[in-house]
């Protein structure tokens, strides 16, 4: 079956989907994006992603190309046309097409692209059973990573450095040696006191939608949660470490910079929170 994309108001064959050479997303990274997980035909954290999208657009003064209710209809149609049961929906909105020049163009119409991608849930689940290994890298990103822009070069460099080092991913740290987040996930630990720790959602991290849901679920289940940054040393000596994101849900980190976390197997809390999160989304 052929893949279908959505580009500026039209469903098109994926192979023929394209943007203009002077799209500002392409020229300047003047664009925002969102990623939704789809499992068993369900969009995970659907509303949370719309809320963050609205915020990202507002922060960059890009007008939404359509209202969020209309967008949800288009996304459902995209899922249907791609017969997507498990996978991802990717959205990107750029400021539009205009002669290449730095100031915001006076009359550009924001462009919207959507794609859907199949993914085998069994491979993500297998990864969660095993856990992932990370290295730490300096966070070299700009000061507004809370806006979900397509400017991801430092993230890509850190991810590639991790792969070159033979591990799965990288956690980024700031000038005070505090972990900010992963290359495309929020970072968490369970500290020596058994408290769940994750950095507060300031301008230094992306306000992960999965992070928000997991935080609420963990609090609801009676776990101690502290939105407080942790150092690299605290991460290495943590009882547990894990990541949250639309693509990983909750996945344990079992090694940081070559240091094995606890017994080297995914921690109990990480596994439990993954289960609670998947259950909550499936029944939402
Ligand atoms: N990444 N931090 C960063 C830097 C991210 O890029 C992401 C998401 C997250 C987690 O956010 P959420 O829980 O809303 O997915 C945190 C997406 C999945 C990506 O770039 O593919």
């Amino acid at each position: 079956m052929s893949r279908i994309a959505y580009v500026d108001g039209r469903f098109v064959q994926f192979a023929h989907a394209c943007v203009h050479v002077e799209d500002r997303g392409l020229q300047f990274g003047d664009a925002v994006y969102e990623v939704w997980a789809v499992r068993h035909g369900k969009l995970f954290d659907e509303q949370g992603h719309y809320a963050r999208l609205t915020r990202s657009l507002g922060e960059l003064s890009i007008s939404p190309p359509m209202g969020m209710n209309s967008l949800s209809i288009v996304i459902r149609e995209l899922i249907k046309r791609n017969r997507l049961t498990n996978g991802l929906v990717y959205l990107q909105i750029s400021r539009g097409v205009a002669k290449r020049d730095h100031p915001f163009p006076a009359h550009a119409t924001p462009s919207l692209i959507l794609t859907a991608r199949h993914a085998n849930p069994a491979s993500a689940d297998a990864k969660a059973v095993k856990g992932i290994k990370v290295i730490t890298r300096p966070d070299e990103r700009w000061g507004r990573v809370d806006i979900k822009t397509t400017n991801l070069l430092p993230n890509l460099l850190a991810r590639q450095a991790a792969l070159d080092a033979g591990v799965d991913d990288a956690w980024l740290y700031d000038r005070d040696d505090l972990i900010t987040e992963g290359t495309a996930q929020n970072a968490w630990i369970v500290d020596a006191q058994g408290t769940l720790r994750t950095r507060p959602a300031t301008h230094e991290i992306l306000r992960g939608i999965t992070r928000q849901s997991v935080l609420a679920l963990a609090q609801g289940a009676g776990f101690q949660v502290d939105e407080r940054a942790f150092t690299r040393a605290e991460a290495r000596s943590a009882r547990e470490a894990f990541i949250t994101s639309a693509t990983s849900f909750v996945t344990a980190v079992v090694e940081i910079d070559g240091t094995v976390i606890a017994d080297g197997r995914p921690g109990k809390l990480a596994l439990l929170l993954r289960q609670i999160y998947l259950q909550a989304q499936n029944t939402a």
Side-chain angles (χ1 to χ4, degrees), residues 33 35 49 52 141 148 155 181-186 206 208-211 244-247:
Y33 77 105
V35 179
H49 288 277
R52 185 174 60 192
R141 299 173 300 163
K148 199 164 171 63
N155 309 54
E181 58 185 332
T183 62
Q185 321 86 12
N186 290 114
L206 184 76
I209 303 304
T210 321
R211 172 189 176 282
T244 55
S245 72
T247 47

Side-chain angles (χ1 to χ4, degrees), residues 218-267:
Q219 279 168 337
F223 295 113
Q224 197 71 36
V225 186
D226 193 357
E227 289 186 76
R228 185 157 54 92
F230 50 86
T231 62
R232 282 198 291 165
E234 283 178 299
R236 289 189 206 110
S237 62
R239 275 194 203 173
E240 293 189 31
F242 62 92
I243 52 171
T244 55
S245 72
T247 47
S248 66
F249 306 133
V250 180
T251 296
V253 171
V254 293
E255 191 184 298
I256 303 174
D257 288 333
T259 302
V260 172
I261 307 303
D263 65 359
R265 284 187 304 217

